[in-house]
Amino acid sequence: MNPPLENDVSTKEIILNVTLELIKSEGFEAVTVRKIASLANVNIALVNYHFGSKQKLISEAVKVLLTSFQESFEVLDDLTLSPKERLKMFLLQYVSTIQQYPELVKRIITQGAVTFESQYEYGIFLKTMGFHKAQAILQELTGEEDAEKLMMMMTQVFGAVFLPTLMLPILQAGANVNLPPIEMQLDILIDRYFH
């Protein structure tokens, strides 16, 4: 088998980007190999060549999202920022990814027993680095030493930020609730609970 050409890499990236955009604009149900091939201006055989199946293509799209989440944890290491600023920047970057791909995030959350390989990899990352970094910043802000309490605080902070982000369309349409911009929400959250 010949090694992939440079052109193959760009074609693969185009297909993946089209898939991400299709998920973002129309949701998972709109994703078909035929539609992706048409939007990417390639034939179906190329989509299958690069990804093997629709499921593997979606798994790669999930991997892009989860990599973005992993990168947001890096800001927690920036000791030039105060602990509150690090927490805020981390949450802003995390929410930015959610806002960019809400359908993809909802799909990951609702997968249940069906786990993509990339979700498993992200779970390992969270266990080995992500949770530790998030817990460390909360410990720095609160002085809490108990690991179970730090984990509970972390899930509460995540829930307070991400649930409204994912539910915003429902809140706006169904309940006529308009939330302030995410940066203001984070300022209120951090000032209220981490003073």
Side-chain angles (χ1 to χ4, degrees):
M1 182 172 200
N2 295 329
L5 302 173
E6 185 65 37
N7 195 20
D8 286 343
V9 173
S10 64
T11 300
K12 184 175 182 177
E13 289 172 5
I14 289 168
I15 293 167
L16 187 56
N17 288 334
V18 164
T19 303
L20 287 166
E21 288 304 312
L22 185 60
I23 292 168
K24 187 184 342 181
S25 64
E26 299 182 29
F28 269 94
E29 308 330 316
V31 175
T32 66
V33 172
R34 184 175 304 284
K35 190 177 237 181
I36 290 165
S38 174
L39 292 170
N41 201 25
V42 298
N43 64 41
I44 292 172
L46 266 178
V47 175
N48 290 325
Y49 168 77
H50 285 294
F51 296 97
S53 69
K54 175 183 160 181
Q55 188 67 18
K56 287 181 182 177
L57 176 55
I58 290 174
S59 186
E60 283 296 312
V62 170
K63 186 177 239 173
V64 168
L65 173 70
L66 297 178
T67 299
S68 297
F69 283 145
Q70 284 182 6
E71 291 168 1
S72 63
F73 280 90
E74 292 172 10
V75 76
L76 295 174
D77 297 326
D78 186 353
L79 299 180
T80 63
L81 300 173
S82 73
K84 285 183 181 181
E85 290 172 318
R86 280 183 277 154
L87 180 60
K88 181 179 176 180
M89 293 305 297
F90 162 70
L91 292 170
L92 275 172
Q93 288 182 18
Y94 214 95
V95 167
S96 174
T97 302
I98 290 174
Q99 289 173 329
Q100 194 173 7
Y101 301 106
E103 289 299 320
L104 200 47
V105 173
K106 287 175 189 171
R107 180 66 166 238
I108 291 169
I109 290 169
T110 61
Q111 278 303 310
V114 179
T115 304
F116 292 116
E117 181 180 327
S118 49
Q119 285 174 283
Y120 178 74
E121 293 166 2
Y122 186 63
I124 291 172
F125 164 79
L126 284 177
K127 187 175 181 181
T128 58
M129 291 181 68
F131 285 152
H132 172 72
K133 288 182 180 188
Q135 284 180 320
I137 195 73
L138 291 176
Q139 182 176 22
E140 191 175 351
L141 286 166
T142 65
E144 180 61 59
E145 297 288 331
D146 186 302
E148 284 184 25
K149 288 181 181 176
L150 286 168
M151 181 62 76
M152 183 55 67
M153 289 185 337
M154 187 174 59
T155 59
Q156 290 170 343
V157 168
F158 274 58
V161 175
F162 306 135
L163 189 60
T165 301
L166 290 171
M167 291 186 60
L168 188 59
I170 295 167
L171 292 172
Q172 288 174 330
N176 201 25
V177 172
N178 290 311
L179 297 175
I182 188 62
E183 194 159 352
M184 185 182 289
Q185 292 178 50
L186 290 175
D187 286 338
I188 293 168
L189 177 74
I190 291 169
D191 289 343
R192 177 72 175 103
Y193 296 101
F194 302 106
H195 37 170

